[in-house]
Amino acid sequence: TNASSSNFIKNIITEDVESGKVKEVVTRFPPEPNGYLHIGHAKSIWLNFTMADEFGGRTNLRFDDTNPVKEDIEYVESIKRDVQWLGFKWDGLFFASDYFGKMYERAQLLIRKGLAYVDDQTADQIRETRGTLTEPGKPSPWRDRPVEENLDLFRRMKEGEFPDGSKVLRAKIDMASPNINMRDPVLYRILHAHHHNTGDEWCIYPMYAYAHPLEDAIEGVTHSICTTEFEDQRPFYDWVVRECEMPNVPRQYEFGRLNLTNTVTSKRKLRALVEEKVVDGWDDPRMPTVSGLRRKGYTPEAIREFMAATGVSKGYGEVDQRMLEHYIREDLKLRALRTMAVLDPLKVVITNYPEGQSEMLDIENNSENPDMGTRQIPFSREIYIEREDFMENPPAKYFRLFPGNEVRLKSAYFIKCEEVVKDADGNVIELRCTYDPETKSGSGFTGRKVKGTIHWVDAMQAVPAEFRLYEPLFTADLEEEGALNPNSLQLLQGFVEPGMKEARAGDKFQFFRHGYFNVDPKDSAPGRIVFNRIVSLKSSFEV
Ligand code: ATP
Ligand code: MG
Ligand code: MG
């Protein structure tokens, strides 16, 4: 544990539990089902669930579905899948819309207490009369409507008598409050819209700021954790719980959002990328969504480790994207099979190897984890090597293959380049090499040394594969025009070892020199495996 992984929310909960103020810790993760979850949501999920877990409490998954226009059941399903995949189990599964009846009753209570009124002003008028930081707001001409009239109008709003936007229900608090959120905020608006859960039952919908504290109180949430942009809402949150006379009193705590360098974490902007077809859906591996990270090959373990390491504070901070990459490397280092893949193949014919013959060679499955054992790979007269591992006119200190030079083929033999075959345009299309049977890997050969080792796959049995290499979607400032990175996706056609025929969607491998890869669950087909690069092998980043 270092300073950056401190967690002030945990300190608060610890005090509440130790002082006896809170008997059972209850938290909730309250997404609005209007998009797919992103890495920022994963932070909130991690925080809510691990806090309750650590104190033997409960966490609800609650869909904050108070805005029917943007919400959809597709999002509900994807959110459930993502939370489970991250490794968390909710106690209760709720919809804010289940509480519409209770919210309506509490609004009537506020009216009866003289704390809410129906306002006939338009949305624009309400905005214009709210005042500013230095100027108080202007009271609505409808502010002093009698209670009975308010009750009657509110009921008729609910019964559908009035068109959208013609009336709202507002709290009656203080038009001169220094906190603008307390200047008679809107509680209900009229919206004749179909809701994914309640259908056409309602044509008035509660505003988020009114609904959220009630949802928390109804569920007995003790610690309502949200991000710092809601700090100014806290006085109204407490007002709603108090004036609605809710028996359970939840408390709101705000922490700083997770922001990653060079990464968009706004559902609205991510949706635009999907709708404009800049990416291939919400789960495109370039997307910072949970489903995109999963498809790219991130593991829930790596994401959870990353969340714990970034800590929880009030402050705004940007976390280096490379820190997330560090945790997936750490997670896969000792458990991913290390195999050979040639991403950009160049054929090599070993002229002194007998035609029609082949042999099996031993290779370790993970050089850093001997427990993973060894496997056998075929070797024969024709192999593929990486195009970049050969140069016809190499610079000094190039230790890979060039005419007349000898290199080691990993876990196989030394080969020497004897001849370069070119097509009519002068492109190198094949190398003709000789091998030295004495130099077989593991034979104890010490006769001479070579400076370079290169990877390869047997051409006869290799499995064709597509490799997808990713770069960030954006090159510069995310808001800037034209900041899209034209190289965010690079496709390569090559080969992997024959044993990879068995690879299944979601299997993860380390390919020598190239990094960690995931078998794409959507586009892989028998005889054509698609590998998404999760991350390259090295980074300059230190945690
Ligand atoms: P967005 O701005 O991307 O639409 P949101 O906050 O509107 O996000 P919600 O569905 O309302 O999305 O979020 C559910 C929960 O996730 C909220 O409690 C919210 O505070 C939290 N959350 C969203 N983004 C982040 C983030 N970047 N870091 C930490 N928590 C986040
Ligand atoms: Mg929100
Ligand atoms: Mg939002």
Side-chain angles (χ1 to χ4, degrees):
T1 316
N2 54 34
S4 72
S5 62
S6 66
N7 179 342
F8 81 98
I9 300 270
K10 183 173 173 173
N11 300 342
I12 290 170
I13 299 179
T14 305
E15 271 174 38
D16 288 347
V17 168
E18 282 174 0
S19 71
K21 196 170 126 195
V22 167
K23 300 275 173 295
E24 185 188 25
V25 175
V26 181
T27 61
R28 86 287 173 261
F29 174 64
E32 187 180 353
N34 62 353
Y36 280 60
L37 297 179
H38 54 61
I39 186 78
H41 294 117
K43 177 100 200 198
S44 173
I45 294 169
W46 169 84
L47 182 58
N48 280 292
F49 280 91
T50 55
M51 286 305 95
D53 281 351
E54 286 188 23
F55 293 91
R58 289 183 286 132
T59 304
N60 294 335
L61 173 59
R62 181 211 308 146
F63 290 98
D64 217 323
D65 56 350
T66 52
N67 182 4
V69 183
K70 292 195 237 149
E71 294 160 4
D72 198 278
I73 199 74
E74 175 197 349
Y75 301 132
V76 169
E77 293 309 318
S78 76
I79 290 169
K80 288 202 263 185
R81 187 164 61 239
D82 287 351
V83 171
Q84 282 172 322
W85 177 77
L86 283 167
F88 300 108
K89 273 205 196 91
W90 51 82
D91 289 278
L93 177 68
F94 301 114
F95 290 85
S97 53
D98 294 337
Y99 313 139
F100 281 169
K102 284 182 187 161
M103 291 172 184
Y104 179 76
E105 283 167 25
R106 296 291 155 163
Q108 287 176 312
L109 172 66
L110 291 177
I111 295 173
R112 284 198 300 272
K113 291 168 79 173
L115 294 176
Y117 60 98
V118 173
D119 192 345
D120 295 2
Q121 293 185 108
T122 64
D124 282 343
Q125 287 170 327
I126 291 174
R127 199 175 318 111
E128 282 157 18
T129 52
R130 272 183 106 197
T132 63
L133 283 176
T134 49
E135 253 179 80
K138 233 177 89 210
S140 162
W142 310 104
R143 197 169 195 263
D144 293 317
R145 262 183 168 144
V147 168
E148 285 312 317
E149 189 179 325
N150 281 320
L151 282 173
D152 179 58
L153 286 172
F154 186 48
R155 182 185 50 78
R156 289 162 59 197
M157 279 168 66
K158 173 180 177 276
E159 281 167 9
E161 268 189 48
F162 309 115
D164 291 2
S166 59
K167 288 183 171 29
V168 293
L169 183 73
R170 290 179 79 174
K172 189 171 178 178
I173 308 179
D174 179 4
M175 286 305 288
S177 170
N179 182 336
I180 295 180
N181 297 300
M182 297 297 271
R183 295 181 188 171
D184 293 10
V186 174
L187 305 177
Y188 270 90
R189 67 210 154 124
I190 302 172
L191 204 60
H192 292 264
H194 188 83
H195 188 282
H196 76 94
N197 190 26
T198 56
D200 296 315
E201 193 185 341
W202 294 88
C203 63
I204 55 170
Y205 289 94
M207 301 304 288
Y208 175 87
Y210 168 68
H212 202 82
L214 293 180
E215 296 158 23
D216 286 342
I218 290 167
E219 291 174 18
V221 166
T222 55
H223 298 80
S224 176
I225 303 170
C226 63
T227 43
T228 45
E229 55 298 1
F230 292 97
E231 200 155 8
D232 291 345
Q233 289 283 358
R234 189 171 358 116
F236 182 60
Y237 182 101
D238 292 338
W239 184 93
V240 170
V241 173
R242 186 175 67 247
E243 299 301 347
C244 289
E245 300 173 18
M246 301 305 288
N248 297 307
V249 179
R251 295 271 172 234
Q252 175 181 302
Y253 300 95
E254 310 90 16
F255 73 102
R257 295 174 79 88
L258 170 69
N259 297 292
L260 282 183
T261 54
N262 214 10
T263 307
V264 175
T265 44
S266 148
K267 259 186 287 195
R268 188 175 51 77
K269 290 180 190 162
L270 296 176
R271 182 182 306 103
L273 295 173
V274 174
E275 284 170 358
E276 288 158 24
K277 300 208 185 326
V278 171
V279 294
D280 159 37
W282 287 94
D283 67 348
D284 185 301
R286 292 167 292 179
M287 292 281 271
T289 50
V290 173
S291 49
L293 290 165
R294 171 170 62 232
R295 185 169 167 202
K296 194 175 191 185
Y298 271 82
T299 62
E301 292 85 350
I303 294 174
R304 293 198 305 259
E305 287 292 316
F306 167 76
M307 295 305 170
T310 50
V312 182
S313 73
K314 278 248 170 217
Y316 171 93
E318 254 199 350
V319 176
D320 196 319
Q321 156 78 32
R322 291 174 303 172
M323 185 169 168
L324 180 59
E325 298 178 349
H326 166 85
Y327 282 96
I328 186 65
R329 283 194 197 93
E330 280 299 298
D331 186 30
L332 297 179
K333 189 168 73 181
L334 298 182
R335 57 179 174 134
L337 184 70
R338 300 186 182 184
T339 75
M340 296 198 277
V342 175
L343 275 51
D344 183 14
L346 176 61
K347 167 119 21 122
V348 171
V349 179
I350 299 163
T351 54
N352 61 339
Y353 196 90
E355 247 170 278
Q357 196 173 308
S358 83
E359 64 187 294
M360 297 303 283
L361 301 172
D362 290 321
I363 183 167
E364 61 217 330
N365 285 332
N366 185 321
S367 54
E368 286 184 83
N369 181 4
D371 289 347
M372 286 182 68
T374 60
R375 69 183 177 286
Q376 291 207 309
I377 51 171
F379 180 79
S380 69
R381 195 166 190 268
E382 294 189 3
I383 62 171
Y384 294 113
I385 65 166
E386 212 66 70
R387 189 163 280 278
E388 65 170 25
D389 285 346
F390 170 78
M391 278 185 99
E392 195 169 15
N393 300 298
K397 302 219 170 137
Y398 185 83
F399 299 122
R400 288 174 256 168
L401 212 50
F402 56 87
N405 190 41
E406 194 174 41
V407 297
R408 177 193 300 280
L409 292 177
K410 175 151 179 73
S411 298
Y413 300 95
F414 291 5
I415 58 167
K416 185 174 178 184
C417 179
E418 309 283 0
E419 192 189 335
V420 181
V421 183
K422 295 181 182 172
D423 66 11
D425 299 327
N427 301 310
V428 176
I429 51 168
E430 185 181 298
L431 302 178
R432 299 183 78 81
C433 298
T434 51
Y435 87 119
D436 179 352
E438 299 272 288
T439 59
K440 184 171 175 174
S441 177
S443 67
F445 175 80
T446 53
R448 62 186 185 280
K449 287 205 155 83
V450 289
K451 285 206 166 133
T453 300
I454 64 175
H455 64 272
W456 56 278
V457 292
D458 178 64
M460 223 171 6
Q461 296 190 48
V463 177
E466 176 171 302
F467 304 94
R468 297 179 178 176
L469 309 188
Y470 304 103
E471 282 181 21
L473 269 171
F474 299 95
T475 49
D477 183 353
L478 307 175
E479 305 292 341
E480 250 175 59
E481 202 65 41
L484 271 180
N485 177 1
N487 304 317
S488 63
L489 170 62
Q490 190 191 354
L491 296 181
L492 293 166
Q493 311 298 330
F495 298 96
V496 290
E497 293 177 14
M500 299 291 275
K501 271 200 292 281
E502 312 300 324
R504 294 287 164 265
D507 285 353
K508 294 164 191 30
F509 301 93
Q510 186 193 107
F511 293 152
F512 291 119
R513 293 230 316 268
H514 295 300
Y516 292 97
F517 287 73
N518 182 46
V519 178
D520 188 86
K522 268 197 177 167
D523 296 339
S524 295
R528 183 175 167 279
I529 314 178
V530 175
F531 291 97
N532 300 329
R533 178 150 76 182
I534 311 168
V535 68
S536 62
L537 285 182
K538 284 212 186 68
S539 148
S540 50
F541 186 73
E542 301 275 324
V543 174

